């Protein structure tokens, strides 16, 4: 029967997603039979339990919500009859695909497939990721980590370098999440601005070139010539052929005409804005930036309502830092980037732990609403921010 064939096909499509945990949400709505017995809506999502990957079915009744956890291997058996027999509409969200399913009275499905254009909710992915294999595993020596003094030559992470190892892994996990945004048809060009000792630059090279076998070219740029010399020596020693380091100021860098990914880790104060500006002008597909020393707004922010905050230097400083990063995100969103603010590492290790991750959709369209919100915000706080000036050619005058 046609309905049965459809279900078999759908199961074939869903099962790999369910097993991999890349199907991160299914919403079933419009129940065929309304009444106390049937839930108005069911939301299914992956949960990582001690026993492995499960899918949680959250059923919304008029006055209660019930939960049931089903092992990933059996989730399709629970989900498919619900789609066919009980709900008229289903939306399935997978990392790269959306399925919109309409089910008629006889159980026939009409399925529309679309590329997933939405921001993938970080918590849901994290819940699953937290338990998954780290990108870099302890136990096997990884040459660049040994050379950087993070690992011993037999693959153990030095006790004092555990935080650094975690930080590198966390960074690579966040890169892994946006790999799909990077082009695959050419050599990827990546710039790490304010690279310093370049732990992350080497990590990125190892991950993309050695592990992912992508064609890449990475440039690290920093003001400090002694550090750059050391980094170039190490790149040579590791035989990382398309990794090079240059001395220079971010704002003056003109070495490339097109870049796919821009990284900054703790590039001080407005150096982060210079880097974001370069990235946007290059049309970079991915921007990953952990700001620090956000001093620019501190002397500017002013609003009487905020006296309880602004009369205390420490609180004012924290507020000004957050406002700075909020403005950075809002301006990128105004231009059309999709932005997520992520916790880079546990705040107990460093307060500089916010990562701005921005990805460029295929078509960049200006977002008036975000722009208006930005205008109101800056007027409310009586501030002017460098990034707006840097990005002026992308913004209304
Ligand atoms: C706090 S360090 C971080 C280094 C490295 N990214 C890391 O996280 O280990 C900041 C680095 O940014 C560099 N830097 C600051 N302003 C810069 C600019 N305008 N152009 C290039 N490098 C800059 C500094 O020289 C310094 O090495």
């Amino acid at each position: 029967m046609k309905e049965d064939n459809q279900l078999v096909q759908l199961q074939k499509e869903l099962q790999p997603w369910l097993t991999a945990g890349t199907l991160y949400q299914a919403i079933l709505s419009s129940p065929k039979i309304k009444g106390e017995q049937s839930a108005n809506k069911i939301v299914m999502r992956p949960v990582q339990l001690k026993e492995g990957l499960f899918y949680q079915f959250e059923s919304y009744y008029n006055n209660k919500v019930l939960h049931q956890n089903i092992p990933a291997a059996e989730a399709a058996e629970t989900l498919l009859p619900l789609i066919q027999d009980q709900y008229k509409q289903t939306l399935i969200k997978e990392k790269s695909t959306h399925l919109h399913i309409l089910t008629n009275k006889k159980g026939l499905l009409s399925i529309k497939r679309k590329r997933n254009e939405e921001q993938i909710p970080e918590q849901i992915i994290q819940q699953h990721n937290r338990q998954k294999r780290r990108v870099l595993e302890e136990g096997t020596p990884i040459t660049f980590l040994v050379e950087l003094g993070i690992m011993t030559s037999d693959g153990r992470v030095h006790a004092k370098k555990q935080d650094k190892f975690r930080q590198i892994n966390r960074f690579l996990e966040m890169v892994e999440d946006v790999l799909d945004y990077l082009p695959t048809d050419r050599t990827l060009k990546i710039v790490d601005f304010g690279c310093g000792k370049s732990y992350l630059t080497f990590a990125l090279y190892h991950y993309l070139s050695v592990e992912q076998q992508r064609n890449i070219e990475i440039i690290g740029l920093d003001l400090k010539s002694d550090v750059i010399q050391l980094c170039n020596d190490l790149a040579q020693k590791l035989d990382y052929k398309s990794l090079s380091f240059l001395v220079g100021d971010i704002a003056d860098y003109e070495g490339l005409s097109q870049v796919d990914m821009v990284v900054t880790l703790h590039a001080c104060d407005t150096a982060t804005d210079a880097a974001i500006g370069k990235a946007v002008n290059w049309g970079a597909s991915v921007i990953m930036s952990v700001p620090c020393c956000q001093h620019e707004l501190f002397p500017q922010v002013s609003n009487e309502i905020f006296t309880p905050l602004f009369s205390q230097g420490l609180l004012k400083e924290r507020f000004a830092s957050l406002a700075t990063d909020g403005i950075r995100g809002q301006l990128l969103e105004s231009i059309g980037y999709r932005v997520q603010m992520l916790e880079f590492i546990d705040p107990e290790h460093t307060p500089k732990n916010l990562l701005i991750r921005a990805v460029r959709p295929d078509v960049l369209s200006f977002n008036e609403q975000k722009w208006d919100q930005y205008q109101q915000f800056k007027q409310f706080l009586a501030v002017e921010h460098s990034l707006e000036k840097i990005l002026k050619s992308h913004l209304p005058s």
Side-chain angles (χ1 to χ4, degrees), residues 341-354:
M341 301 280 171
L342 306 168
E343 197 150 74
F344 184 39
I345 39 169
D346 292 345
E348 68 186 81
H349 299 303
T350 168
K352 305 170 191 171
N353 77 333
L354 182 136

Side-chain angles (χ1 to χ4, degrees), residues 30-72:
S30 303
K32 285 185 180 172
I33 301 166
K34 291 209 166 108
E36 299 223 329
Q37 297 305 313
S38 62
N40 300 324
K41 180 174 87 169
I42 299 180
V43 179
M44 183 192 89
R45 60 173 70 91
V47 282
Q48 187 70 46
L49 304 181
K50 261 200 328 283
E51 302 81 6
L53 179 63
F54 280 63
Y55 275 82
Q56 182 175 80
F57 287 72
E58 194 175 34
S59 304
Y60 290 79
Y61 294 85
N62 286 344
N63 50 6
K64 62 184 176 197
V65 180
L66 298 181
H67 295 93
Q68 193 186 7
N69 291 333
I70 308 278

Side-chain angles (χ1 to χ4, degrees), residues 164 167 192-201 221-225 227-228 246-253 263-272 274-275 290 292-293 344 352:
K164 198 83 204 163
Q167 188 192 56
D192 182 352
F193 279 130
C195 57
K197 287 189 187 153
S198 303
Y199 290 92
L200 292 190
T201 335
L221 186 97
D222 202 286
L223 292 168
K224 296 179 192 150
S225 56
V227 182
I228 288 298
L246 303 170
V247 180
D249 190 311
I250 300 168
D252 302 332
Y253 179 69
V263 174
T264 71
L265 178 65
H266 302 153
C268 325
D269 200 9
T270 52
T272 294
V290 183
C292 79
C293 317
F344 184 39
K352 305 170 191 171

Side-chain angles (χ1 to χ4, degrees), residues 2 15 31 63 71 77-78 88 92 106 116-117 120 135 145 173 177-179 194 196 214 253 259 283 298 310 350 383:
K2 192 168 176 206
Q15 196 55 58
N63 50 6
E77 282 167 37
T78 305
K88 292 185 218 162
I92 291 178
K106 293 181 182 157
N116 186 351
E117 302 275 358
I120 298 169
V135 179
L145 289 175
E173 276 170 25
D177 286 344
V178 292
L179 276 185
R214 302 282 288 259
Y253 179 69
V259 169
F298 181 77
F310 295 169
T350 168
V383 293

Side-chain angles (χ1 to χ4, degrees), residues 66 103 138 148 153 163 178 205 235 240 248 271 288 308 348 376:
L66 298 181
T103 311
E138 190 167 359
L148 285 170
S153 54
D163 284 353
V178 292
Y205 189 94
Y240 284 0
M288 310 222 1
E348 68 186 81
Q376 285 172 34

